[in-house]
Amino acid sequence: MKRRLILRGGTLAAAAAPLALPAVVHAQAPALRWRLTSSYPTSLDAIHGAAHVFAKTVAELTEDRFQIRVFGPGEVVPALQALDAVQAGTVEACHTTASFYTGKNPAFAFATGVPFGLNTRQQSAWMVEGGGIEMLNELFAQYNAYSLPLGATGAQMGGWFRKEIRSTEDLKGLKMRIAGLGGTVLSRVGGVPQQLAGGDIYPALERGTIDAVEWLGPYDDEKLGLNKVAPYYYYPAWWEGAANTSFVANLEQWNALPKSYQATVRTACAEATTWMVGRYDTRNPDSLRRLLASGTQLRAFPREVMEACYREALALEQELAGKSPEYRKIHEAWSKSRDDMRAWFRVAELSFDNFLAQAAARR
């Protein structure tokens, strides 16, 4: 009997030993304090809040040894200078939209979403399993940075317009806040794109400095009060099938992290992304209902407008592939994934969604 107890005790001790190992590893890991600047207004609890979810997860997984403090736009650097601050080492990291920086290289758009591009799940699949993260980090490395997806908005709206859009003629001379390659497409059909940070778009639209603005979707747009200064709310956002936001770290600081901390950051980015998608998908419906009840006029872009922009988007893809080697390399892999995933989507999900839409219309 005594012998059996000793054996049981030995077995339990052996089983417990591996469980004690992580605590030892954490005790030896360095205590780090990073600063992360966000490109998004602090009033927007989903897109700005994702950085706080990320930072909280990092702290919890490292038993508070790795802490990341989140700053709003303007507290350290302006919203649209987040990548520059990371590149220079002014801050260790940022949470931003990569398509803000297509002026540096058009290939940055692939980290966010491109005109008539992938939906949320397809973008995630391409980034994680299609080689997107690795190819984009070849680009980010040229700017002394390392990036991971941190957040996704889901499908967006086409934006707020002070006047009704009936044809492509109504886009001529129209000044619109729109970022990335979507702005380039808009300019090709006669519009005048303006790149403004989230905190600047309401006053610009209110004063008439711009005629239209795209930001995100009902939940954020309602918080920003855009319905108070523009009556027409258009869909869909053809400039991005969905949009990823990005965690970007200074490359030297990233490479200096212990492997366990790098794994922690990857895990926290995935956690925050799932949280952000869920927050928008559960809150956008109620926000849209409130906007419509308050007098917002919901409109679909005319087919003529969609087709004109689609033609220009495809032409722009080919032109950029001929000018930018980074864009060309990423576009080659991305476009194959796009075509493959869309073919599968048509077989499975689109047929199902179409049936449900038709069934709902017959009820």
Side-chain angles (χ1 to χ4, degrees):
M1 179 71 173
K2 187 174 181 179
R3 181 171 176 272
R4 285 198 299 273
L5 288 173
I6 292 171
L7 287 173
R8 282 185 62 200
T11 302
L12 289 171
L19 297 178
L21 184 58
V24 174
V25 171
H26 277 305
Q28 295 172 344
L32 293 180
R33 302 290 183 271
W34 274 21
R35 297 193 304 169
L36 180 150
T37 184
S38 170
S39 291
Y40 312 110
T42 57
S43 61
L44 302 182
D45 60 277
I47 194 166
H48 180 84
H52 290 276
V53 172
F54 162 77
K56 182 174 182 287
T57 305
V58 169
E60 289 176 348
L61 290 175
T62 61
E63 299 177 342
D64 288 330
R65 296 191 66 80
F66 188 8
Q67 295 189 18
I68 300 175
R69 184 178 175 187
V70 178
F71 292 87
E75 293 180 344
V76 181
V77 296
L80 302 182
Q81 295 177 22
L83 175 59
D84 303 272
V86 169
Q87 182 180 0
T90 305
V91 293
E92 289 83 6
C94 71
H95 181 213
T96 192
T97 300
S99 61
F100 289 161
Y101 312 105
T102 52
K104 297 178 183 291
N105 192 304
F108 275 121
F110 289 108
T112 303
V114 301
F116 297 96
L118 307 175
N119 65 23
T120 303
R121 208 179 75 207
Q122 292 166 345
Q123 177 76 5
S124 176
W126 175 71
M127 292 286 281
V128 175
E129 284 292 319
I133 291 175
E134 291 78 12
M135 284 186 288
L136 283 162
N137 272 315
E138 293 178 13
L139 171 63
F140 276 100
Q142 297 178 27
Y143 298 85
N144 192 33
Y146 178 86
S147 182
L148 292 165
L150 194 174
T153 67
Q156 297 191 6
M157 290 292 286
W160 298 87
F161 292 74
R162 296 169 67 91
K163 65 176 184 178
E164 198 167 1
I165 303 299
R166 297 184 176 89
S167 70
T168 53
E169 279 299 310
D170 292 322
L171 297 178
K172 301 290 176 62
L174 181 128
K175 298 187 294 294
M176 182 175 185
R177 183 274 175 194
I178 179 172
L181 299 185
T184 306
V185 173
L186 179 68
S187 70
R188 292 168 70 114
V189 293
V192 183
Q194 309 284 316
Q195 180 149 289
L196 299 172
D200 298 329
I201 60 179
Y202 179 92
L205 191 61
E206 183 183 37
R207 291 193 300 265
T209 307
I210 55 177
D211 307 306
V213 58
E214 62 83 23
W215 174 248
L216 206 157
Y219 186 58
D220 275 9
D221 294 354
E222 182 186 29
K223 285 179 176 292
L224 292 175
L226 301 178
N227 58 305
K228 298 174 183 177
V229 287
Y232 299 104
Y233 200 21
Y234 275 85
Y235 67 91
W238 50 262
W239 36 85
E240 293 162 350
N244 271 18
T245 55
S246 298
F247 164 81
V248 185
N250 178 275
L251 185 58
E252 295 167 3
Q253 295 285 346
W254 172 261
N255 288 336
L257 286 179
K259 295 297 183 184
S260 62
Y261 281 7
Q262 291 182 354
T264 295
V265 169
R266 289 193 293 270
T267 301
C269 282
E271 173 75 10
T273 299
T274 300
W275 175 87
M276 186 169 148
V277 172
R279 196 163 188 86
Y280 278 126
D281 281 350
T282 57
R283 285 160 174 76
N284 276 330
D286 283 343
S287 293
L288 181 58
R289 279 190 283 268
R290 286 193 296 269
L291 290 168
L292 296 179
S294 72
T296 292
Q297 299 188 48
L298 190 64
R299 297 282 191 274
F301 281 122
R303 187 175 184 86
E304 174 195 336
V305 169
M306 294 292 290
E307 289 181 346
C309 293
Y310 183 61
R311 288 193 300 271
E312 293 299 335
L314 294 182
L316 179 62
E317 284 184 25
Q318 298 306 312
E319 289 179 21
L320 292 176
K323 294 177 180 177
S324 167
E326 294 87 0
Y327 185 97
R328 180 171 60 252
K329 178 179 179 180
I330 296 174
H331 179 264
E332 183 177 346
W334 174 88
S335 60
K336 183 181 185 306
S337 291
R338 173 194 60 189
D339 296 344
D340 288 347
M341 287 190 287
R342 282 182 177 169
W344 163 241
F345 183 82
R346 285 195 296 271
V347 169
E349 296 189 37
L350 186 60
S351 58
F352 180 67
D353 288 344
N354 285 340
F355 168 79
L356 291 178
Q358 292 164 6
R362 289 194 297 269
R363 283 192 305 183

